[in-house]
Amino acid sequence: MVKHQPLQVYERQLCLSCLTGIYGCRWKRYQRSHDDSSKWECSWFFLLCCSFLLLLVWSYFWLEARNDYNEFNWLLYNRSAVWKDGTVPILATTLTGFTYTAFLMILALCHIVLGQQLNLYWIHKIVVLAILLTTITGVVSIDDFWQDEWDIVIISLQFTGPFLHIGALAVVTALGWVIAGQVVRVERSRLQVVMLVIYVSLLLVLYMVPLFISSPCITDRSKLGPRPAVIGRRGAPMLAPEHTIMSFSKALQQKVTALEADVTISLDGVPFLMRDRTLRRTTNVDKLFPARQDHDASFFNWTEIRSLNAGLWFLRDDPYWTVQYMSEKDRNRTANQTVCSLAELLRLAARTNRSVIFSLRRPPAQHPRHQLWVSDALKVIQRSSILPEQVMWTPDWYRKKVRAAVPLLRQTSDEKLPVAELKERGISTLTLHYSQARAQDIRQFSGSNVSVNVYPVNEPWLYSLMWCSGVQSVSSDAPHILKKVPNPVWIMSADEYGLIWITSDLISVAIVMGIFIFQNYHLIRWKMSGMRSYNPEQVMLSAVVRRPSRDVNLMKEKLIFSGETHEHTSNLNTSTIIT
């Protein structure tokens, strides 16, 4: 008597094994399951999605905040009194966390598409939870430490909004394959209906989002104003130590139209250039006057200040990561820089026919020049060879006396005031932070012959946005970068954007409808084919018996078919047992 017993032989599925192995450490075939994911695992998938979306927003924030990295490091220095680039560890951890969660998200979506049960490995769970808590801590810390910087997210959306909309539409359209695979199934449930309603609602919202997108760059090219002038803010601090003659010379090489500086009054009444309250960060005061290194900079006389080195710190700290690109000649020159006085800056500006704009810090109450600080600055201006109309006077203190003493000075304000009040004070230029420079306000000021200067503008995208908004000039730490922006990064008319909007929506609708039709067709064809397209790997034993035990999984691995030989015997090895 001869009895034939066909044994099942599985083909290797390396991709599926890697997919389930990396995500849930389920490398063996019997460890995989087509059962519905448990509520516990669905909760972890929800946490994974939250971590990914939060990191996406966090990454976008730091990408756009690049314009103000130096401001962030300066705030850190003021708190810790130690200069360090705090953006490096933040960017490194953000990039690592985002890459990790994005990879897990892709694996999870592949599980859903292939009908595999979600079962996130416990190590991944710990890491995802750590990433989520760390990101939340970072958001709360930034909100406390650098709250004003959130404005750049709103401002940047005016520039990136149209492109982010198309990207989001493409991603949600692609997710239609996953949604359709869950909705178009034999079994129907309330969850499927909710999932479909949410997906369709999200699509409709994305289709209508352009109605609420407003950008100065969506305008006719004929309405684009002239290129904004670039002012060297503290010179060119990315190329040379800030507030030094070398820095201002580098800025002039980049064709800036004016030079901007922060002015402090010394103990003996000499105006000099210094941004910080102390001399610690930008000089070697800790070596020459160690006992006074934390004293206010204004309590040093000019002889002491002039003896300090104002360039070695730049080579040591490399605040903008640019020292490696400096020539040997420039490094030697940097190492010999000294603190610059206001008189030296005015002479340089007069010689090169450039304007000067400066802010003036009042000395402390116990300072001998506390009441004379404005007159000290005015004396230097009057004694210099620069034309008064080339000097933009910013301090609001004693403005009437200043106008009476030097009538031709260009009065400038850093306070956003009504046009009538600006005219009353004789102010012809407003210097505003970019977060205060709204397009409609700029048009109003320009229409009243009040020019607007915006600071700090270091990135091409922000420069392009300010250009389209109609500003007359920008103050920048990076004039060498803005010099390479001859035109706005992008500009399009409302009709052009409307065409892009309608086209992308129609393509999305067509793709989504095609996906659902294809999934329905595939399901109907599978039903009609019956067991002819039988694949042992796709058998769902749990559909009949809900026993996700090891015995059932072993049965999947070593399933034996008796009786009639299966149609696909070409994939089976036959063993003959002779009794």
Side-chain angles (χ1 to χ4, degrees):
M1 177 180 175
V2 178
K3 183 177 180 180
H4 297 279
Q5 182 171 297
L7 300 177
Q8 179 185 7
V9 175
Y10 288 96
E11 294 181 357
R12 291 185 177 182
Q13 297 178 322
L14 294 178
C15 291
L16 186 58
S17 296
C18 290
L19 182 71
T20 57
I22 296 173
Y23 185 82
C25 200
R26 294 174 297 166
W27 300 95
K28 301 297 184 181
R29 188 183 299 269
Y30 69 83
Q31 294 176 315
R32 300 196 288 266
S33 173
H34 289 278
D35 294 340
D36 291 337
S37 302
S38 65
K39 292 182 179 180
W40 173 250
E41 291 300 330
C42 290
S43 299
W44 276 105
F45 176 68
F46 176 75
L47 283 179
L48 177 60
C49 293
C50 291
S51 300
F52 173 75
L53 293 176
L54 184 59
L55 265 174
L56 185 64
V57 175
W58 181 247
S59 301
Y60 179 80
F61 168 78
W62 282 104
L63 179 65
E64 301 305 327
R66 183 180 177 183
N67 184 78
D68 302 317
Y69 281 176
N70 188 256
E71 298 292 326
F72 176 74
N73 291 330
W74 188 68
L75 289 175
L76 286 179
Y77 171 78
N78 288 335
R79 284 200 173 191
S80 64
V82 177
W83 179 267
K84 57 183 178 181
D85 194 342
T87 62
V88 173
I90 293 176
L91 294 175
T93 54
T94 299
L95 179 61
T96 303
F98 181 76
T99 303
Y100 183 83
T101 54
F103 183 61
L104 288 182
M105 277 291 298
I106 294 173
L107 293 179
L109 292 176
C110 290
H111 273 67
I112 295 173
V113 170
L114 297 176
Q116 291 291 322
Q117 186 184 53
L118 292 173
N119 186 20
L120 188 64
Y121 193 45
W122 66 270
I123 292 180
H124 291 324
K125 292 177 180 177
I126 294 175
V127 177
V128 168
L129 187 60
I131 290 174
L132 180 60
L133 295 177
T134 302
T135 308
I136 292 175
T137 303
V139 171
V140 173
S141 300
I142 288 296
D143 189 64
D144 175 63
F145 174 68
W146 204 22
Q147 186 176 18
D148 294 340
E149 191 63 17
W150 291 116
D151 292 336
I152 201 168
V153 175
I154 306 300
I155 294 169
S156 67
L157 288 177
Q158 298 179 37
F159 186 81
T160 60
F163 308 100
L164 291 179
H165 164 250
I166 295 176
L169 188 60
V171 170
V172 174
T173 300
L175 285 177
W177 185 270
V178 180
I179 301 299
Q182 296 299 303
V183 173
V184 184
R185 296 196 324 190
V186 179
E187 306 90 356
R188 298 293 179 187
S189 67
R190 185 179 301 175
L191 178 61
Q192 291 171 282
V193 176
V194 172
M195 189 183 303
L196 182 61
V197 170
I198 292 175
Y199 179 72
V200 172
S201 301
L202 182 59
L203 271 179
L204 291 177
V205 169
L206 285 175
Y207 291 156
M208 296 295 106
V209 158
L211 291 175
F212 307 98
I213 292 179
S214 176
S215 172
C217 294
I218 301 179
T219 184
D220 292 331
R221 289 174 176 81
S222 59
K223 297 180 180 179
L224 183 66
R227 186 177 186 270
V230 178
I231 298 174
R233 191 167 180 246
R234 306 183 188 100
M238 291 188 180
L239 305 178
E242 64 183 55
H243 282 147
T244 61
I245 289 296
M246 180 180 177
S247 181
F248 292 116
S249 299
K250 289 288 186 182
L252 291 171
Q253 292 175 10
Q254 307 305 320
K255 309 300 182 184
V256 299
T257 58
L259 302 171
E260 182 180 347
D262 305 294
V263 178
T264 300
I265 307 298
S266 70
L267 192 65
D268 48 353
V270 177
F272 66 98
L273 311 186
M274 185 59 56
R275 179 190 187 188
D276 299 2
R277 186 188 65 84
T278 69
L279 299 168
R280 284 186 55 182
R281 182 174 67 89
T282 58
T283 70
N284 60 341
V285 67
D286 58 327
K287 295 182 179 180
L288 297 186
F289 307 101
R292 302 167 59 193
Q293 59 179 317
D294 292 323
H295 290 189
D296 194 291
S298 62
F299 283 103
F300 289 79
N301 62 48
W302 177 239
T303 303
E304 294 170 333
I305 294 171
R306 193 64 168 179
S307 67
L308 299 173
N309 185 290
L312 290 175
W313 72 275
F314 186 83
L315 300 175
R316 181 189 68 239
D317 296 337
D318 195 7
Y320 294 96
W321 300 81
T322 53
V323 172
Q324 57 182 322
Y325 304 111
M326 295 177 69
S327 65
E328 191 64 30
K329 181 180 178 181
D330 280 346
R331 293 190 187 191
N332 294 332
R333 186 182 175 192
T334 299
N336 293 305
Q337 292 300 301
T338 57
V339 177
C340 180
S341 67
L342 177 60
E344 290 175 298
L345 174 61
L346 294 177
R347 281 197 297 270
L348 177 63
R351 189 169 63 250
T352 56
N353 195 28
R354 296 294 192 274
S355 297
V356 172
I357 178 173
F358 62 88
S359 59
L360 187 60
R361 184 170 73 91
R362 188 174 191 177
Q366 61 274 30
H367 196 280
R369 315 302 295 183
H370 179 69
Q371 300 296 338
L372 304 172
W373 58 301
V374 171
S375 60
D376 288 338
L378 280 177
K379 287 178 183 177
V380 173
I381 294 173
Q382 291 172 323
R383 292 172 183 172
S384 67
S385 57
I386 194 170
L387 297 175
E389 53 267 29
Q390 290 181 305
V391 178
M392 292 183 274
W393 181 269
T394 302
D396 203 40
W397 292 82
Y398 310 116
R399 192 179 288 275
K400 290 183 178 180
K401 292 183 179 181
V402 171
R403 291 176 62 187
V406 189
L408 295 180
L409 283 180
R410 291 173 58 186
Q411 298 297 319
T412 306
S413 176
D414 55 6
E415 184 179 0
K416 194 175 181 180
L417 300 170
V419 174
E421 189 170 351
L422 293 174
K423 292 294 185 180
E424 181 182 350
R425 296 186 183 187
I427 296 171
S428 60
T429 304
L430 269 181
T431 299
L432 301 176
H433 190 267
Y434 62 75
S435 60
Q436 296 179 297
R438 296 188 301 175
Q440 55 269 35
D441 293 336
I442 294 171
R443 287 192 293 268
Q444 180 184 0
F445 289 128
S446 299
S448 303
N449 293 324
V450 177
S451 60
V452 179
N453 176 55
V454 177
Y455 74 94
V457 178
N458 302 321
E459 291 295 310
W461 72 264
L462 186 55
Y463 182 68
S464 300
L465 192 65
M466 294 297 106
W467 186 347
C468 294
S469 298
V471 302
Q472 286 72 36
S473 61
V474 299
S475 293
S476 176
D477 298 330
H480 61 293
I481 294 177
L482 301 189
K483 181 183 178 181
K484 302 174 183 178
V485 186
N487 298 293
V489 175
W490 71 269
I491 183 172
M492 67 177 75
S493 66
D495 292 338
E496 290 172 332
Y497 181 57
L499 180 62
I500 294 174
W501 167 30
I502 299 301
T503 303
S504 59
D505 283 359
L506 291 177
I507 292 175
S508 173
V509 170
I511 293 176
V512 171
M513 291 180 63
I515 288 173
F516 275 81
I517 291 173
F518 177 80
Q519 293 274 22
N520 268 297
Y521 171 76
H522 182 70
L523 177 63
I524 294 172
R525 189 177 177 186
W526 179 79
K527 283 182 179 180
M528 295 180 64
S529 63
M531 294 303 294
R532 287 180 301 171
S533 60
Y534 176 78
N535 184 351
E537 179 65 11
Q538 296 176 349
V539 174
M540 298 177 63
L541 297 178
S542 58
V544 180
V545 181
R546 292 285 181 180
R547 288 191 308 171
S549 64
R550 181 175 178 83
D551 292 339
V552 173
N553 289 329
L554 287 172
M555 289 172 62
K556 290 182 181 180
E557 182 73 12
K558 301 177 180 179
L559 188 62
I560 300 177
F561 293 95
S562 302
E564 296 182 2
T565 303
H566 192 271
E567 177 180 22
H568 299 286
T569 54
S570 59
N571 296 328
L572 303 176
N573 290 334
T574 305
S575 67
T576 304
I577 302 175
I578 303 176
T579 306

